[in-house]
Amino acid sequence: MQKLARRWKRAGIKIGFVPTMGYLHDGHLSLVREARRRVGRQGRVVVSVYVNPTQFGPKEDLAKYPRDLKRDLQLCRAAGVDAVFTPSDAGMYPGRAEGRYSTYVVEEHLARVMEGAARPVHFRGVTTIVAKLFNLVLPEVAVFGQKDFQQATIIQRMVADLNFPVKIVVAPTHREPDGLAMSSRNKFLDAEQRAQAVILFHALQAAKAAVAKKAVPAARLKKDLQEFFTAAPLARLDYVEFFDPETLHAASPVKRGTHMALAVFFGKTRLIDNARL
Ligand code: AMP
């Protein structure tokens, strides 16, 4: 991958990059279109498909994470992707099983809250794999989804702090017609859970409406949202947070422009969503 990228660079060709864990959906493909817009017809768009083991905790769904490389490759081909990078675990983390892999990239502040608090090793795995992928793909531009808002914020911080020569673009969350954010994990929802999963989107909209005209104390809005979730009995709220979109510091009162993020379990399936209120 690096050899190919260096060849392109020597020829003055721009590289746009979309890192993914595969099982691609329209949300991923909207990032591919954005990457193409950024590098133009003369550029190259690279998608990586890699279920990165270091970003999963020991009790998480690494083994069960959905995979369908054949379909992913077809979708990438149809979307005009120039190269799909599909590394192996042994290639990315040589000697890890024997304890001979020992270098990680850690962001120390933004990664402590929300997803980082709920999933302790998650962001260390994300920053490490994204740094490695940047060194292999050598992109001018990399596109991430707002769907994983905290992740995008941490990647932007990593790129600034460590001087990666890459522009990070954050593209809007792609949604199903009813508002549910597209996610590879949605396939784990049964029909009843799927019908109730739209509550994440509705909760964001309800919070937006609640703060549209006046600021509301965070504790009160949280309580109201917990109440709101009783309408979806299959949902178990993991967290809902209100915060400053740049620092991720908790915000109260909550007002227009405050960011909201939430994580919700349906059975073992954990969904996340977020929006600027
Ligand atoms: P994943 O394969 O879930 O790791 O996601 C790969 C990239 O696609 C990340 O930058 C995600 O934020 C982004 N992504 C996932 N779902 C969506 C969506 N519904 N809309 C936009 N981007 C998304």
Side-chain angles (χ1 to χ4, degrees):
M1 183 65 241
Q2 201 180 52
K3 247 188 215 159
L4 176 62
R6 289 177 70 150
R7 201 185 313 141
W8 283 339
K9 289 186 102 65
R10 273 197 301 276
I13 293 170
K14 268 196 174 183
I15 302 171
F17 179 40
V18 180
T20 82
M21 299 207 298
Y23 211 76
L24 301 181
H25 50 66
D26 279 347
H28 295 115
L29 297 177
S30 71
L31 306 190
V32 167
R33 287 192 292 275
E34 183 59 33
R36 175 60 69 195
R37 270 196 289 278
R38 298 283 172 159
V39 300
R41 295 239 314 265
Q42 309 300 322
R44 297 287 185 275
V45 172
V46 177
V47 169
S48 62
V49 173
Y50 180 56
V51 183
N52 172 37
T54 64
Q55 73 190 65
F56 288 78
K59 291 187 187 143
E60 292 178 5
D61 58 350
L62 172 62
K64 273 185 47 201
Y65 197 83
R67 292 164 168 87
D68 190 344
L69 186 58
K70 202 173 151 205
R71 182 169 168 274
D72 289 346
L73 293 174
Q74 284 166 355
L75 289 170
C76 284
R77 187 179 295 268
V81 171
D82 296 291
V84 183
F85 180 45
T86 63
S88 65
D89 288 342
M92 289 313 269
Y93 296 105
R96 179 165 169 263
E98 300 81 44
R100 278 187 287 105
Y101 184 92
S102 56
T103 306
Y104 292 86
V105 177
V106 180
E107 191 289 321
E108 298 199 328
H109 286 165
L110 306 171
R112 295 218 169 133
V113 296
M114 295 186 282
E115 288 302 284
R119 307 179 64 191
V121 300
H122 178 64
F123 286 121
R124 179 184 86 145
V126 169
T127 40
T128 300
I129 195 64
V130 172
K132 286 165 67 68
L133 289 169
F134 283 175
N135 283 335
L136 292 165
V137 177
L138 306 175
E140 268 76 28
V141 183
V143 188
F144 290 81
Q146 197 202 301
K147 160 81 180 1
D148 299 276
F149 184 84
Q150 188 178 8
Q151 168 174 282
T153 306
I154 290 169
I155 297 297
Q156 283 170 312
R157 176 66 63 86
M158 176 188 84
V159 161
D161 285 355
L162 299 183
N163 312 94
F164 278 93
V166 56
K167 179 180 170 55
I168 303 299
V169 174
V170 182
T173 302
H174 217 70
R175 297 181 179 281
E176 301 287 355
D178 68 351
L180 175 66
M182 288 187 183
S183 164
S184 307
R185 289 188 171 100
N186 290 350
K187 88 158 216 139
F188 293 130
L189 302 171
D190 66 31
E192 242 182 315
Q193 292 171 331
R194 170 61 189 86
Q196 291 185 22
V198 71
I199 186 118
L200 278 86
F201 179 61
H202 288 162
L204 291 166
Q205 288 184 312
K208 200 178 246 178
V211 304
K213 292 214 172 76
K214 58 176 195 315
V216 180
R220 201 173 92 214
L221 195 50
K222 261 184 210 180
K223 215 165 143 267
D224 289 350
L225 286 169
Q226 277 158 2
E227 178 73 28
F228 189 81
F229 264 81
T230 57
L234 299 176
R236 186 165 63 76
L237 191 56
D238 188 7
Y239 68 75
V240 52
E241 299 291 348
F242 308 100
F243 56 90
D244 176 287
E246 258 112 62
T247 63
L248 307 188
H249 289 164
S252 186
V254 182
K255 48 189 188 226
R256 269 174 74 161
T258 302
H259 216 92
M260 169 172 157
L262 73 172
V264 178
F265 278 103
F266 283 89
K268 285 187 179 152
T269 307
R270 189 167 172 281
L271 305 180
I272 58 172
D273 205 343
N274 73 86
R276 195 181 183 93
L277 300 182

